[in-house]
Amino acid sequence: SQQGEEDPQALSIQEGENATMNCSYKTSINNLQWYRQNSGRGLVHLILIRSNEREKHSGRLRVTLDTSKKSSSLLITASRAADTASYFCAWRYGGSQGNLIFGKGTKLSVKP
Amino acid sequence: DTGVSQNPRHKITKRGQNVTFRCDPISEHNRLYWYRQTLGQGPEFLTYFQNEAQLEKSRLLSDRFSAERPKGSFSTLEIQRTEQGDSAMYLCAIRDVENTGELFFGEGSRLTVL
């Protein structure tokens, strides 16, 4: 399969807690992106981290990238019920201008 | 609103029938992608256009699948002789060449093959 691995597959937390999702990929990359998908809807881009960056922040989101381990993590701080969704990492092969490869996703449930 | 409109949103068909999905970007984008997503999985790449040229096709795109982008604007994805295994969400996305490669997705077209 061209898809990488994400863990956990599902995560259930209480509102206010932090949620951490991990992603592993298989090749050299230009950048790694995270997307969110509400049930039955399209995907929405959240944040992009370049291969020469190690950490990036955007609001309540914090992304890390470890190219030596071919892994990334997404941290959502102070979660809200509205954060309930599936989260996917995605990457493009180094030098490629073509398709974006997606992980299998983490389904996050935030309980009020 | 991501600027990508997909129609129909949901299609139910019987096995063996042909179906066509359409993707309309609101504004000009030279790169357009089709993905397929089954329940509980991430999107899987099907094909990609730069303007009207189909530059890359996945091995998932069997000979029953054909995609076109005749004028470099809207695109269609046709599935002939549908099979139950074709049941999935078909997602269209555009890529803004001015940025570093994020994709803007439509809401998808869900296909159910009975």
Side-chain angles (χ1 to χ4, degrees):
Chain A
S1 168
Q2 62 184 357
Q3 295 187 332
E5 296 295 322
E6 288 186 65
D7 76 271
Q9 288 187 335
L11 179 61
S12 182
I13 59 175
Q14 294 293 133
E15 216 168 20
E17 294 180 339
N18 295 342
T20 300
M21 290 159 267
N22 302 296
C23 165
S24 61
Y25 56 91
K26 298 181 178 179
T27 68
S28 63
I29 59 172
N30 288 332
N31 59 61
L32 188 133
Q33 305 175 33
W34 285 88
Y35 288 79
R36 167 195 167 124
Q37 184 179 36
N38 287 357
S39 181
R41 307 295 295 274
L43 284 81
V44 176
H45 181 265
L46 293 176
I47 192 167
L48 179 152
I49 185 166
R50 298 173 189 268
S51 59
N52 62 354
E53 296 176 314
R54 290 297 167 257
E55 188 171 314
K56 197 163 183 179
H57 297 253
S58 177
R60 294 185 296 113
L61 305 180
R62 172 179 167 249
V63 170
T64 62
L65 179 65
D66 187 336
T67 53
S68 66
K69 295 181 179 177
K70 291 187 170 56
S71 67
S72 175
S73 67
L74 172 68
L75 168 69
I76 303 175
T77 60
S79 63
R80 305 167 182 167
D83 294 329
T84 294
S86 291
Y87 292 83
F88 297 92
C89 65
W91 61 92
R92 187 171 282 113
Y93 295 118
S96 168
Q97 294 298 314
N99 76 91
L100 207 56
I101 308 297
F102 284 83
K104 295 182 179 180
T106 294
K107 190 169 185 177
L108 174 65
S109 175
V110 182
K111 299 178 181 178
Chain B
D1 183 5
T2 61
V4 181
S5 176
Q6 289 191 246
N7 289 287
R9 290 293 313 279
H10 196 179
K11 177 73 176 179
I12 301 173
T13 191
K14 293 182 179 179
R15 190 176 53 183
Q17 298 294 305
N18 299 344
V19 296
T20 299
F21 300 115
R22 179 173 169 129
C23 174
D24 282 274
I26 288 178
S27 57
E28 298 258 337
H29 288 84
N30 70 352
R31 296 181 188 181
L32 185 147
Y33 300 76
W34 285 98
Y35 282 82
R36 182 177 74 181
Q37 186 180 26
T38 53
L39 203 60
Q41 299 294 313
E44 293 178 298
F45 170 76
L46 292 178
T47 190
Y48 143 62
F49 288 87
Q50 182 158 322
N51 299 315
E52 64 273 11
Q54 190 173 16
L55 292 190
E56 195 171 342
K57 291 196 290 186
S58 162
R59 58 183 170 77
L60 294 175
L61 213 67
S62 75
D63 57 5
R64 296 186 298 105
F65 287 69
S66 62
E68 293 183 345
R69 197 181 183 201
K71 297 181 181 179
S73 56
F74 74 92
S75 177
T76 57
L77 177 68
E78 181 183 15
I79 309 173
Q80 296 182 327
R81 306 181 303 281
T82 52
E83 302 172 354
Q84 287 186 324
D86 297 331
S87 295
M89 175 81 91
Y90 291 86
L91 294 160
C92 175
I94 55 175
R95 177 180 172 183
D96 187 346
V97 296
E98 298 299 325
N99 67 30
T100 51
E102 65 181 270
L103 297 183
F104 297 91
F105 282 85
E107 295 287 7
S109 293
R110 180 167 295 283
L111 174 64
T112 302
V113 182
L114 302 176

